Amino acid sequence: MDDFGVYAIFGVNGPPQRLLSADGSCRVCVAVPSTVRQVVLFSSGPWGERICVNAELNDADRIPITIGKLTPYNRCLSWEQWEEETWTDNVTLNITLEGGSLTKADWSEPELILAVKEYTPKDTTAPLAARELNSKRKRGRVAEEDSDENKATKREEEENVCPNGTLEKTTPVRKARGQTKAGQKLFGSGGDATKMKGTANGAGEAQGIVGRTPPQSAARTKSRQAKTPTQTAPLISPSGRWGQTLCPIDAQTAILIGGQGARMQFCKDPMWKLCTEDMSWVAAETLAEGPTPEARIGHTAVYDPNSKRIFVFGGSKNKKWFNDVHILDTQSWKWTMVEAQGKVPPLAYHSCSMFRGELFVLGGVFPRPNPEPDGCSDSLYIFDPHLSIWYEPIVTGDKPSPRSGHSACVMQERKIYVFGGWDTPVCYNDMYMLDLGLMEFSSVKTTGKAPSPRSWHGSAVLSDTKFLIHGGYNGNNALSDTFIFDIDSNSWTEVSLPQLIVPRAGHSLITMETVSRHPFSEEDEDVDMDAGRTLLVFGGGDNEGNFYSDLTTVAVEELLSAI
C-alpha cells in the first residue's frame, strides 16, 4: 500500500497537516495564518517513481519569497520569518508534485485550495511573554508598513548588497561606518534602479538574460502567473544567476551549484551537469543521493581528482551564513555532510584552493554580532578531509589585508596567487603569492598595465605560467575587461576579444579540455577529433540588473596568441 504524503507544520505548536496524498491532487495552495512565523514541509512514505515536490512561499502578490524542493534524498524544508525579509501577513504556500504516475494532463488540474487549521492547545493559554512578543512583532510590522522611507533607510543599513541594480535584498559585502549610499550600491545608480522598476521584460531576455524587474502593472501579474509551476516547461539549461560555482570534474564534465537570480530569489534549479562535448546541460539536483547543500551564494566548490569528490564550503543565504562542508562523490553520486572538528567561521566570497588533497580557504566575509557591520577576514584556514579537521597553519611574510570577492589561482602546484577583492568601501588590485612549500606570503611587484581595482571577478589558469582575470565589480559598475598575468615575468597584459565584451560580476570562469569534430568529407561519417583547451564563462550580473545564463567559450590558444 502506497501511503506517500506531504505534510506541513505551521508554527511551533501546530500539528502536522497533510497537504498531498498518493491519490489526491498534485497541486495545493495553502494560505499561511497571519500568526504563523515558521513553516516546516516534509514527506513521509515511499516516493516510488515520484521525482520531487516543488515548494514556493509567496507573498500577497504571488511573488516568491523563497523557493525549495523536496526530493527522495532531501525530505524536509523549513522557513522562518526572521530569515525572509519579505515575509508578510498574506503568505501562501504552493506545492506541486512531479513524477510518479502523473501524466501531462494532470498539469491542467486546478489548484486545490486548502485552509490551515489553526491550532490552540486545549485548556492552556499562551504565556505572557509569548503574547507580548507577538504584539511587539505586530507593532513592528505596522511601523514598517507605515513608512516606505523607513524601509529604504533600513536597506541602506544592511551589510550586504546583490547585483540586480535595486536595493531590495542583500549579499555579503562589508559596509564601513560612515559609508555613503553610493558606496553601497552594486550595478547602477539609485536613478537607474528606479528606472528599472518601470522596465518590462523583453522577448530577448527570455533567451538567456534574466533579472530585469517588471513594471507595477497588470503585465507584471501576467508575468508572475507565467512563472507558476503549472505553466513552466522543464528547463533545458540553467536559469540566469550570479554567485554560483562551476566546477570541472573531468575532461568533458563540469558541475554547476547554487546561485541567485531574478527578484533576488535563490535559483529553483540549483544544480546542473555540463557536457562540453556538445555543450549540453542536464538538470542534476535529483541525480545525487544524500543531503544536498542548502541554497546559497558566495560559496566555493573544488574538485579533488584523486578522490573524485567535490568539496562545497561556506556561502550565505539572506542573513544566514554557512561554515559547513558538503562532499559530492562523483562516482557514487552521493552527498555527505562533514562533521568537522576544529574551528572555522562562517564565510562567503572567500577563495578555496586544493593542494595535496587539502582545502586552503583564504579571506571572505563573515558575520559579526549586531550592531557591528560584517567584517572581512585575512586568515588562512586548511581543511584536511582525511581527518575531517580544520586548522590554522603558521604563515610568515607579508600577507594580504582582509578582503572578500578576491581570486586565487594555484600555479605549478606550489604557489597560490591572490588578486584583488575588497573590504568595503575599498577595492584592491594588488597581487600576493603564497609559497606552499615555505608557507610564506609575499607581495608581488608587477609590471605592465594592471587590472583596475575590483572584486567578484573571474579567474582561470591558462597554462603553467599564465592565468586570466576577467570582469568583476569596482564598487560602482560591472567590468568587461580581460587581463593575463605571467608569473615568470610578473607582468600583466590586457587582451581584447569579441567573446569577452559583456560586463559581468559574480560569474564563473573555468578552463577545460574540449573536443572539436571535423568530418573528413561531406559523404564520410568519420570525424577528425581535435583536442584543445577552452575557457568557459557562465552567469554573472551586469549594470542593468540582468543575470546571465549563456555559456561563452574562448579557445585558450586564441587567448594566448592575443598577448
Side-chain angles (χ1 to χ4, degrees):
M1 178 179 179
D2 189 351
D3 58 350
F4 173 83
V6 175
Y7 299 80
I9 298 175
F10 299 92
V12 294
N13 293 321
Q17 300 188 36
R18 191 164 189 160
L19 304 184
L20 294 182
S21 59
D23 55 356
S25 173
C26 66
R27 298 174 54 214
V28 170
C29 176
V30 183
V32 179
S34 60
T35 57
V36 168
R37 289 294 175 262
Q38 306 92 6
V39 177
V40 177
L41 187 71
F42 63 95
S43 70
S44 177
W47 276 69
E49 298 299 320
R50 299 173 183 87
I51 298 173
C52 65
V53 173
N54 293 308
E56 286 189 1
L57 202 64
N58 295 332
D59 64 14
D61 294 325
R62 294 184 66 87
I63 296 177
I65 297 172
T66 186
I67 296 167
K69 182 177 290 188
L70 297 180
T71 71
Y73 314 109
N74 186 24
R75 303 189 179 202
C76 183
L77 294 170
S78 66
W79 300 282
E80 295 178 336
Q81 184 268 343
W82 40 87
E83 287 187 5
E84 312 296 345
E85 295 177 350
T86 54
W87 191 306
T88 66
D89 282 341
N90 297 305
V91 172
T92 58
L93 174 62
N94 297 272
I95 61 175
T96 308
L97 177 64
E98 292 185 17
S101 59
L102 299 177
T103 63
K104 291 184 178 179
D106 291 315
W107 292 104
S108 62
E109 172 192 354
E111 283 183 335
L112 177 63
I113 310 298
L114 294 182
V116 175
K117 298 178 181 178
E118 296 199 52
Y119 175 73
T120 303
K122 294 181 178 180
D123 302 324
T124 61
T125 58
L128 179 60
R131 293 202 303 270
E132 290 176 348
L133 182 60
N134 287 335
S135 299
K136 290 178 181 178
R137 287 176 180 167
K138 291 179 181 177
R139 289 196 296 271
R141 290 198 302 275
V142 171
E144 290 176 4
E145 293 168 359
D146 285 343
S147 174
D148 291 337
E149 183 177 353
N150 289 343
K151 289 184 179 179
T153 303
K154 181 180 178 181
R155 290 189 190 107
E156 291 172 12
E157 292 173 354
E158 295 291 348
E159 307 305 330
N160 306 323
V161 185
C162 195
N164 73 330
T166 71
L167 298 177
E168 290 184 348
K169 280 224 179 170
T170 57
T171 54
V173 176
R174 181 181 178 186
K175 184 189 77 173
R177 293 181 177 177
Q179 181 182 344
T180 64
K181 180 178 179 181
Q184 298 173 44
K185 295 193 298 288
L186 180 63
F187 305 167
S189 65
D192 292 337
T194 303
K195 183 171 64 176
M196 281 175 51
K197 291 184 179 180
T199 305
N201 284 341
E205 292 177 330
Q207 299 178 1
I209 301 177
V210 183
R212 201 174 291 237
T213 305
Q216 302 279 356
S217 66
R220 182 173 184 180
T221 303
K222 292 180 181 178
S223 174
R224 292 177 197 142
Q225 293 173 349
K227 296 180 184 296
T228 58
T230 58
Q231 299 177 10
T232 302
L235 294 173
I236 59 172
S237 63
S239 59
R241 67 191 66 198
W242 85 292
Q244 72 288 330
T245 57
L246 187 60
C247 181
I249 62 173
D250 58 40
Q252 287 84 35
T253 310
I255 302 297
L256 173 68
I257 299 174
Q260 190 180 57
R263 298 192 183 96
M264 312 317 301
Q265 299 301 318
F266 289 88
C267 298
K268 292 182 182 180
D269 52 330
M271 186 173 173
W272 288 82
K273 180 189 291 187
L274 172 66
C275 177
T276 59
E277 189 173 5
D278 57 0
M279 294 299 171
S280 63
W281 292 95
V282 176
E285 183 182 6
T286 58
L287 296 182
E289 300 179 4
T292 59
E294 188 175 344
R296 63 190 66 194
I297 54 175
H299 55 288
T300 51
V302 181
Y303 178 68
D304 178 14
N306 295 322
S307 64
K308 300 189 184 304
R309 297 185 297 174
I310 295 175
F311 294 84
V312 178
F313 170 72
S316 67
K317 177 186 179 184
N318 298 335
K319 293 182 179 180
K320 189 173 183 178
W321 302 71
F322 301 98
N323 64 347
D324 49 0
V325 178
H326 291 261
I327 300 176
L328 176 62
D329 189 315
T330 61
Q331 292 183 302
S332 64
W333 282 102
K334 184 175 182 179
W335 283 102
T336 56
M337 183 174 173
V338 178
E339 296 292 337
Q341 298 179 345
K343 291 185 179 181
V344 63
L347 291 170
Y349 302 101
H350 51 281
S351 65
C352 184
S353 307
M354 176 69 68
F355 176 67
R356 294 182 178 175
E358 293 184 320
L359 305 184
F360 284 64
V361 173
L362 175 66
V365 181
F366 62 90
R368 288 178 176 170
N370 288 330
E372 293 293 329
D374 300 337
C376 284
S377 170
D378 62 353
S379 298
L380 176 67
Y381 297 91
I382 298 180
F383 177 69
D384 183 342
H386 302 290
L387 300 177
S388 293
I389 188 171
W390 286 98
Y391 66 95
E392 287 190 73
I394 297 174
V395 292
T396 60
D398 182 13
K399 70 176 182 178
S401 59
R403 64 190 62 203
S404 67
H406 54 284
S407 59
C409 292
V410 180
M411 303 297 295
Q412 300 177 345
E413 297 186 358
R414 59 188 178 89
K415 299 176 181 178
I416 297 179
Y417 283 81
V418 179
F419 170 77
W422 70 347
D423 188 359
T424 309
V426 179
C427 259
Y428 299 104
N429 67 340
D430 49 7
M431 178 87 75
Y432 287 84
M433 186 268 290
L434 173 62
D435 188 311
L436 295 169
L438 302 175
M439 292 305 293
E440 180 181 16
F441 273 108
S442 60
S443 176
V444 180
K445 305 302 180 184
T446 66
T447 61
K449 180 183 177 181
S452 59
R454 66 193 63 201
S455 66
W456 295 340
H457 50 276
S459 66
V461 176
L462 303 180
S463 68
D464 286 344
T465 60
K466 295 178 177 65
F467 63 86
L468 174 142
I469 298 294
H470 169 64
Y473 177 63
N474 64 6
N476 293 301
N477 295 294
L479 306 172
S480 61
D481 47 5
T482 305
F483 297 82
I484 294 177
F485 186 75
D486 188 326
I487 66 172
D488 283 344
S489 59
N490 286 341
S491 62
W492 285 106
T493 303
E494 184 174 11
V495 297
S496 179
L497 293 173
Q499 303 97 314
L500 300 176
I501 60 173
V502 176
R504 299 175 190 256
H507 51 298
S508 299
L509 284 189
I510 59 172
T511 53
M512 296 184 66
E513 303 293 334
T514 54
V515 175
S516 300
R517 297 171 175 267
H518 306 288
F520 289 119
S521 66
E522 294 183 359
E523 295 80 13
D524 198 340
E525 295 183 356
D526 293 333
V527 293
D528 180 23
M529 310 288 280
D530 290 340
R533 300 192 73 216
T534 300
L535 176 76
L536 284 77
V537 186
F538 173 81
D542 68 6
N543 298 313
E544 303 300 325
N546 297 315
F547 298 94
Y548 293 104
S549 62
D550 60 320
L551 189 65
T552 301
T553 60
V554 185
V556 170
E557 289 182 359
E558 184 179 0
L559 283 165
L560 296 177
S561 64
I563 298 178

